[in-house]
Amino acid sequence: MKVPAQLWFGAALSSAFVVAALVSLVWTPYPVDELSIDQRMRLPGDGYVLGTDQFGRDMLSMLMVGARTSIAVAIVAVGIGMAFGVPLGLLAAANRGKPVDEIVMRTNDLVFAFPSLVIAILITAVFGPSAFNAILAIGIFNIPVFARVTRGGALSLWTLDFVLSARVAGKSRLRISLEHILANITNLLIVQGTIQFSLGILAEAGLSYVGLGAQPPTPSWGRMLAESQTLVSLAPHIAAFPGLAIVLTVLGLNLMGDGLRDILDPRLRSTR
């Protein structure tokens, strides 16, 4: 099977930032909490590969730790969405047309009415801004996404012969959902998970930009953009590099998701 070019390119881009995040756990060129006012707003080069920010902190080190923050938030948020959304979607599909299906789907519609930013504002109004609350807000928003995707994929399988045979054999709806339905929509969930991961990074950056995400001194790409917006004319690299990091990471994940969809979706394979 030929691997799509966008999958290779997307995986390479995404892997670069994952590696940077992992390396930041044990090493960064400079400490991210070290202020050097005499080195503030240095241009890239001359001892600093990507220059320094308005506080004299090394931009490369900040971006590496910021990658760790964004990736960690997105992974946990997607995990929350899958952990709750997939079972709800399977439950709704197994009881199509019944009250439990209506309850699940109408609850999903209610959550969809509140974007992750609004949910984050509500959460932080009670508990205060933090990375944990950003994870909670993004995770809650991901639940109906995975519930809808799971339900849609499952409904198309419930009328197929192998599922009908399992029902005739006396298997319960729960057992059919776990043994047959879930196994056949895993590819769909993998692709959706990749897409939601990229959206999670965007959401984390947006929440941090407005001060609802990771708090100082933890570096965050979104907050780096927010802090640099008044300095673009003086030191454009301070805003350019975190913005470029967000764009490239999301681009890589979206390309990887498209490539995975081309490989895992049999309908697309049959048209090639």
Side-chain angles (χ1 to χ4, degrees), residues 13-181:
L13 275 178
S14 303
S15 299
F17 287 97
V18 171
V19 170
L22 293 175
V23 171
S24 72
L25 292 171
V26 295
W27 175 84
T28 55
Y30 295 90
V32 294
D33 56 353
E34 181 179 281
L35 306 182
S36 300
I37 302 303
D38 58 326
Q39 302 293 328
R40 62 194 301 267
M41 292 189 289
R42 294 283 294 273
L43 295 176
D46 192 21
Y48 296 94
V49 177
L50 299 182
T52 61
D53 66 3
Q54 65 273 31
F55 300 110
R57 296 173 297 188
D58 178 53
M59 288 293 297
L60 178 58
S61 302
M62 296 282 289
L63 289 174
M64 290 173 65
V65 180
R68 186 175 72 201
T69 302
S70 296
I71 291 173
V73 169
I75 287 177
V76 178
V78 170
I80 291 174
M82 280 190 168
F84 290 93
V86 172
L88 288 174
L90 291 174
L91 178 65
N95 296 274
R96 182 180 183 181
K98 296 182 179 180
V100 64
D101 182 25
E102 286 297 314
I103 292 173
V104 170
M105 299 315 297
R106 298 296 77 78
T107 304
N108 285 347
D109 292 340
L110 179 63
V111 176
F112 269 132
F114 298 91
S116 59
L117 179 59
V118 176
I119 296 174
I121 292 174
L122 294 175
I123 292 174
T124 53
V126 178
F127 301 105
S130 68
F132 175 80
N133 292 332
I135 291 173
L136 191 59
I138 301 170
I140 290 174
F141 189 75
N142 278 333
I143 292 175
V145 174
F146 283 103
R148 282 184 174 275
V149 170
T150 302
R151 180 180 181 272
L155 285 178
S156 65
L157 298 175
W158 271 101
T159 57
L160 297 184
D161 291 341
F162 75 95
V163 175
L164 296 177
S165 298
R167 295 181 65 180
V168 171
K171 291 186 178 181
S172 66
R173 290 182 176 269
L174 175 61
R175 187 174 175 185
I176 292 174
S177 296
L178 296 178
E179 293 184 359
H180 302 286
I181 303 298

